[in-house]
Amino acid sequence: MRVPLSWLREYVDLPATETGRDVQAKLISAGLEVETVEHLGADLKGPLVVGQVLTIEELEGFKKPIRFCTVDVGQANGTGEPQEIVCGARNFSVGDKVVVVLPGATLPGGFSISARKTYGKVSHGMICSSDELGMGDDGTHGIIVLPPETEVGKDAVELLELVDEVLDIAVTANRGDCLSIRGVARETAIAYGLPLRDPALLDVPGPNAFGYPVKVSDPAGCDRFTARTVTGLSPDARSPIWLQRRLQKVGMRPISLAVDVTNYVMMELGQPLHAYDRHQVQGTIGVRRAQEGEKIVTLDGVERKLHAEDLVITDDRGPVGLAGVMGGADTEIADHDPAEEGAAATTDVIIEAAHFDQVSVARTARRHKLSSEASRRFERGVDPQAASAAAQRTVDLLVLLAGGTAEAGVTEVIAPSAPHTITLAADHPDKVAGVTYGRETVVRRLQEVGCDVYGQDELIVTVPSWRPDLTDPNDLAEEVIRLEGYENLPSTLPRPPAGRGLTGRQRLHRRIGRALAGAGYVEALNYPFVSEQVFDQLGLEADDPARRVVKLVNPLSDEEPALRTSLLPGLLAALRRNDGRGSHDLALFETGLVFQPRDAARVAANLPVDRRPSPDGIAALNAALPDQPRHVAVVLAGAREQAGWWGKGRPADWADAVEAARTVAREAGAELGIRKGQYGPWHPGRCAELTVTVDGDERVVGHAGELHPRVLKTLGLPARACAMELDLDVLERVGDTVPQAPSISTFPVATQDVALVVDAYVPAADVEAALREGAGELLESIRLFDVYENAEQLGEGRKSLAYALRFRADDRTLTVDEASAAREAAVALATDRTGAVLRG
């Protein structure tokens, strides 16, 4: 909401020395978010005057039309002689009054004006447009043409109100009253402790039987409808300069007098209005729900198919407007255009000032993707008591500015309603804030915002009509606290209960994060929303369980309506984004929840809000939610070790992704099995399947390795990128996080190396498992240190796996025979299970 300081001063007698910055500080202290203060005309200097065009000479021989004009500027130029000016605009004629900037002046943006030769003539100044003066869009896209009665030589800076300060306020969704000058003026008056001249306090005639007929069929959607009629408007009447300038300062474009007046009153009082051409309205004006499939062409020229929940304004033909959102083209106010023969301007108008249901307007605006100034106000809350005053203010301005006549008929359709009252303990704000305000302060502050307050220890508070957001005692407490100043609240840290710290699960997640960070990974937190097309990009099979997603009813983006079943889409997107911005050596990780739908859909129960839910109630709620296991994932690209004087460095590869999985497993105290696998986005020849043993059964908990080239190309990722993803919950379940002291033996180790030749398709993990089991309890560790393939020496389709086996006993030094026997037992079992042959 843009609020010109000059307009604000009409309703609050601010000290003359107060600047926009001072008002900004006061309003921020009162709880309003004033983002900026714009200084209009701050860099405008020099003579800017009203001139009258005397002659126009068309200059020939140029690529674009150029005119050489003489302009009477009175005595503003010091001589009284006509000012010679070259101008390219064509929307003015001889005799028009225009705005002239003379040599020596400076326009907004630091543009200095001087006499200069151009197009073969000397131009002594410039005839100005609204854009050149920083006034905003006036709809003409040309030279400012002033009313004929404007005095020649008059200071145009004062005439056009070019110097002002405008406060830009970010109005929160609950403060619809501040989407008006009236509402901001009320807050300003409270902040300064000054009286408010309420612009809504007007003498309004009561309803009678002579008003335009109105029928409201849905009082729940429209609880108040006021209609007034003005006839005999002058078709030549134009909005005065002051009215146009105020609309421009608040960010609106002047259109025509009738429309400008309704927009002006809306910005002034916060009540949206609509003006209908009386001759285009046929029969009774009605308010009802739309019939499914009805159509309307709105003022923006778009034909819209209506929904049965849309609230519409109708006449005998059908819908003529979307209630609270936008009017229809059939009853649009027609402006007088001398260039159009036979075009009849609107001379008789019906003014509508109504109050519509917030939810209905909000849903209609979103359903039709049609946000307007009116809908913004209705969906945030409009003062229903201001409708009749807004209609009267509109009528008064039309009569004053267009010479119209206000008809005696006044229509008001009102659904009975009682004012909202709240019972509030006088010391409730004290308890909420931890500050002793006292009853007198509480009553005074509530009265300042417009509440009627009665009672002593227990207050009966009647909420003002312009504050529909005040619904319970805490809302009233917040009003007292903000007006007394948030900065005056004491800073006290909450005292946590003793004996409560992080859970075991939280500690594990932190350890894993620290371990990965220590290994050179950077944590990247991503949104949990994905598009279902990403599963095709990752190459998942059609029946892959990861394709079963939970969809959001109201997603933030229609392109990403589902909750993730894997962390990889978000991490790979982060990898692509950073690589595209020049960071090519990347190692990212994330721990977070994934979402897996349950087989049977359940409806969540509504838990009580006035007390803690029972354990059964919480359990029932959790049972209706999707499964949400926590995963950990990493992605790598570029160099894993940088090159330098110390060496060549090396690129990240599949082994780094596997080592990240090992790092996670070590922190979880879980024994991780690693074997060759093939799944989804990973390269079939460079993919490791990660397993753990759960209750005696082997279970796949993730994959690691290099991504498939097809996936890299589809997602726009760097070459040879790698990734890993693990189910952390399963690791936590099977892991033992109790710290284990290392076993240190005083007896020496016996090392035996063994090289086994197996078929190329035999997994090294199977050979290792057989060796480990066959070696028995004397085996301390086993390590694969070499893989060799040579068809000439080993045979086609064969490979050699070399292992280092370390044997040690806790109570003695092993003999050579004991170590050799354990080695031979290990080789024998490997031969039996995998067909291995001892090499050499």
Side-chain angles (χ1 to χ4, degrees):
M1 175 68 190
R2 291 171 56 86
V3 180
L5 190 59
S6 59
W7 198 350
L8 194 62
R9 288 182 182 275
E10 283 197 8
Y11 309 127
V12 184
D13 289 326
L14 295 172
T17 56
E18 288 294 284
T19 66
R21 295 289 185 191
D22 299 328
V23 177
Q24 178 189 31
K26 285 283 189 179
L27 292 180
I28 289 176
S29 178
L32 293 186
E33 187 178 346
V34 185
E35 293 185 327
T36 60
V37 177
E38 183 179 354
H39 297 270
L40 302 181
D43 50 356
L44 179 63
K45 299 177 182 178
L48 189 72
V49 299
V50 176
Q52 184 173 20
V53 180
L54 300 178
T55 64
I56 298 177
E57 177 187 351
E58 301 288 345
L59 301 182
E60 305 293 340
F62 299 102
K63 293 183 179 179
K64 62 179 182 179
I66 298 296
R67 311 167 94 185
F68 180 64
C69 311
T70 59
V71 185
D72 178 14
V73 295
Q75 297 299 319
N77 57 4
T79 64
E81 297 294 324
Q83 202 79 1
E84 296 180 339
I85 299 174
V86 175
C87 182
R90 310 192 64 78
N91 68 312
F92 64 95
S93 307
V94 173
D96 283 345
K97 303 289 181 66
V98 293
V99 178
V100 178
V101 57
L102 301 177
T106 302
L107 294 181
F111 183 56
S112 299
I113 303 299
S114 60
R116 63 190 183 94
K117 188 172 183 180
T118 179
Y119 297 103
K121 301 285 186 178
V122 178
S123 181
H124 299 273
M126 188 169 71
I127 303 174
C128 298
S129 68
S130 60
D131 287 338
E132 291 163 339
L133 297 179
M135 295 170 57
D137 185 12
D138 63 356
T140 65
H141 302 291
I143 294 302
I144 301 171
V145 178
L146 301 171
E149 63 273 13
T150 310
E151 179 185 350
V152 172
K154 183 178 178 63
D155 183 4
V157 175
E158 178 183 352
L159 175 69
L160 299 177
E161 302 177 12
L162 297 179
V163 178
D164 202 350
E165 292 180 280
V166 179
L167 285 70
D168 194 350
I169 303 175
V171 179
T172 54
N174 66 317
R175 292 302 305 272
D177 60 304
C178 289
L179 286 174
S180 66
I181 304 297
R182 179 196 184 200
V184 177
R186 183 181 293 106
E187 292 296 318
T188 305
I190 295 172
Y192 278 91
L194 296 172
L196 169 70
R197 288 189 293 274
D198 192 343
L201 295 180
L202 302 174
D203 291 331
V204 179
N208 53 51
F210 310 110
Y212 197 90
V214 173
K215 180 181 179 181
V216 177
S217 302
D218 191 337
C222 176
D223 58 7
R224 182 180 292 264
F225 195 106
T226 300
R228 300 288 299 276
T229 304
V230 181
T231 60
L233 300 180
S234 171
D236 297 321
R238 293 291 178 269
S239 300
I241 293 175
W242 64 266
L243 178 58
Q244 295 186 43
R245 287 297 296 134
R246 286 194 170 176
L247 289 177
Q248 288 175 326
K249 289 177 185 178
V250 299
M252 302 190 77
R253 179 173 64 87
I255 298 174
S256 64
L257 178 58
V259 176
D260 292 349
V261 166
T262 57
N263 286 337
Y264 177 85
V265 175
M266 176 179 66
M267 302 306 297
E268 181 181 54
L269 301 182
Q271 168 66 53
L273 302 109
H274 190 70
Y276 300 92
D277 187 329
R278 181 174 181 178
H279 298 297
Q280 300 300 324
V281 178
Q282 299 180 12
T284 301
I285 293 178
V287 183
R288 62 169 172 82
R289 298 289 172 175
Q291 298 174 8
E292 190 69 37
E294 277 188 309
K295 295 181 180 180
I296 183 176
V297 178
T298 46
L299 287 174
D300 56 359
V302 177
E303 182 180 81
R304 303 182 185 277
K305 187 176 181 180
L306 301 179
H307 188 275
E309 291 184 3
D310 291 335
L311 194 66
V312 293
I313 310 298
T314 65
D315 65 4
D316 290 351
R317 296 168 296 179
V320 295
L322 281 174
V325 180
M326 185 174 287
D330 291 342
T331 57
E332 182 180 6
I333 297 294
D335 194 18
H336 175 63
D337 187 351
E340 294 187 19
E341 295 184 5
T346 298
T347 57
D348 300 340
V349 298
I350 301 171
I351 306 300
E352 166 212 305
H355 184 259
F356 301 111
D357 176 60
Q358 292 177 239
V359 175
S360 176
V361 172
R363 287 178 175 173
T364 296
R366 284 159 178 74
R367 187 179 297 116
H368 294 283
K369 296 180 173 60
L370 185 60
S371 179
S372 64
E373 291 289 344
S375 67
R376 287 183 62 224
R377 284 162 175 78
F378 276 122
E379 62 190 45
R380 285 165 174 79
V382 169
D383 181 6
Q385 303 293 334
S388 56
Q392 183 63 45
R393 176 71 164 143
T394 305
V395 168
D396 293 343
L397 287 174
L398 289 176
V399 170
L400 175 67
L401 302 177
T405 302
E407 289 195 351
V410 177
T411 302
E412 280 197 7
V413 180
I414 302 174
S417 62
H420 181 57
T421 60
I422 302 171
T423 300
L424 173 75
D427 62 348
H428 182 67
D430 301 5
K431 295 178 180 178
V432 173
V435 177
T436 302
Y437 293 123
R439 179 188 178 280
E440 290 186 2
T441 299
V442 171
V443 172
R444 174 172 56 85
R445 288 303 191 183
L446 292 179
Q447 289 175 338
E448 284 178 346
V449 298
C451 297
D452 291 330
V453 185
Y454 302 94
Q456 292 299 319
D457 294 338
E458 188 173 82
L459 305 178
I460 306 299
V461 182
T462 302
V463 175
S465 58
W466 56 82
R467 291 299 303 275
D469 59 305
L470 302 181
T471 59
D472 59 58
N474 286 330
D475 293 331
L476 299 179
E478 182 183 6
E479 292 299 298
V480 175
I481 295 168
R482 75 174 180 89
L483 294 179
E484 284 295 306
Y486 290 120
E487 68 276 8
N488 297 323
L489 293 177
S491 298
T492 55
L493 293 175
R495 184 174 299 173
R500 293 187 181 180
L502 299 177
T503 65
R505 187 186 194 203
Q506 290 169 330
R507 288 194 295 270
L508 172 60
H509 296 162
R510 291 198 177 187
R511 288 201 310 274
I512 289 172
R514 285 193 292 267
L516 290 175
Y521 291 86
V522 177
E523 187 171 16
L525 301 178
N526 299 288
Y527 288 115
F529 313 115
V530 296
S531 166
E532 292 184 88
Q533 283 71 31
V534 75
F535 301 126
D536 296 328
Q537 297 170 339
L538 292 177
L540 300 187
E541 298 292 336
D543 58 349
D544 194 297
R547 286 182 174 270
R548 295 183 61 238
V549 296
V550 177
K551 290 188 178 180
L552 299 175
V553 175
N554 187 21
L556 293 178
S557 170
D558 292 336
E559 295 180 357
E560 296 180 332
L563 292 173
R564 66 189 178 191
T565 56
S566 166
L567 300 182
L568 288 184
L571 274 178
L572 294 176
L575 181 72
R576 179 179 63 247
R577 185 163 52 250
N578 284 275
D579 181 72
R581 293 175 180 176
S583 299
H584 304 301
D585 303 325
L586 295 161
L588 308 177
F589 84 94
E590 181 179 10
T591 61
L593 300 179
V594 299
F595 305 85
Q596 300 168 351
R598 298 182 186 270
D599 294 333
R602 300 183 183 179
V603 178
N606 291 324
L607 299 182
V609 296
D610 58 341
R611 62 188 181 279
R612 177 180 173 81
S614 66
D616 291 341
I618 296 176
L621 177 63
N622 289 332
L625 298 176
D627 288 329
Q628 300 176 51
R630 183 173 289 270
H631 282 201
V632 59
V634 306
V635 294
L636 306 99
R640 186 65 176 137
E641 295 178 3
Q642 295 290 338
W645 57 266
W646 53 85
K648 296 181 180 180
R650 69 174 184 85
D653 61 15
W654 61 268
D656 295 300
V658 173
E659 181 57 31
R662 288 196 179 101
T663 300
V664 173
R666 281 194 297 269
E667 292 298 327
E671 185 176 345
L672 192 67
I674 301 172
R675 65 189 182 198
K676 181 179 179 181
Q678 182 173 347
Y679 177 70
W682 280 277
H683 192 296
R686 303 188 182 108
C687 174
E689 190 174 72
L690 310 174
T691 64
V692 295
T693 301
V694 182
D695 298 330
D697 297 325
E698 190 178 60
R699 178 171 171 182
V700 176
V701 291
H703 295 83
E706 183 179 316
L707 295 174
H708 198 290
R710 182 172 60 250
V711 173
L712 300 179
K713 181 178 180 181
T714 302
L715 294 177
L717 299 172
R720 308 302 291 271
C722 302
M724 178 277 294
E725 184 167 12
L726 273 173
D727 188 329
L728 264 185
D729 285 356
V730 177
L731 287 182
E732 180 184 8
R733 178 181 170 187
V734 302
D736 183 4
T737 57
V738 177
Q740 298 290 333
S743 176
I744 301 175
S745 175
T746 60
F747 298 97
V749 66
T751 302
Q752 297 271 355
D753 292 345
V754 59
L756 301 176
V757 178
V758 296
D759 291 332
Y761 65 83
V762 175
D766 291 351
V767 177
E768 179 179 325
L771 288 172
R772 186 183 300 274
E773 183 179 343
E777 60 183 15
L778 294 180
L779 182 67
E780 182 180 77
S781 67
I782 181 172
R783 179 174 63 88
L784 174 66
F785 66 86
D786 183 54
V787 178
Y788 178 70
E789 295 182 4
N790 188 313
E792 293 182 1
Q793 296 184 14
L794 304 177
E796 191 69 33
R798 305 280 281 175
K799 65 182 178 181
S800 172
L801 304 175
Y803 294 90
L805 287 74
R806 291 167 57 92
F807 300 98
R808 195 195 309 258
D810 295 334
D811 56 352
R812 67 190 186 279
T813 299
L814 293 177
T815 65
V816 174
D817 292 339
E818 287 178 309
S820 297
R823 172 181 177 272
E824 290 172 1
V827 172
L829 187 59
T831 301
D832 182 57
R833 288 189 177 177
T834 65
V837 177
L838 191 64
R839 184 178 171 189

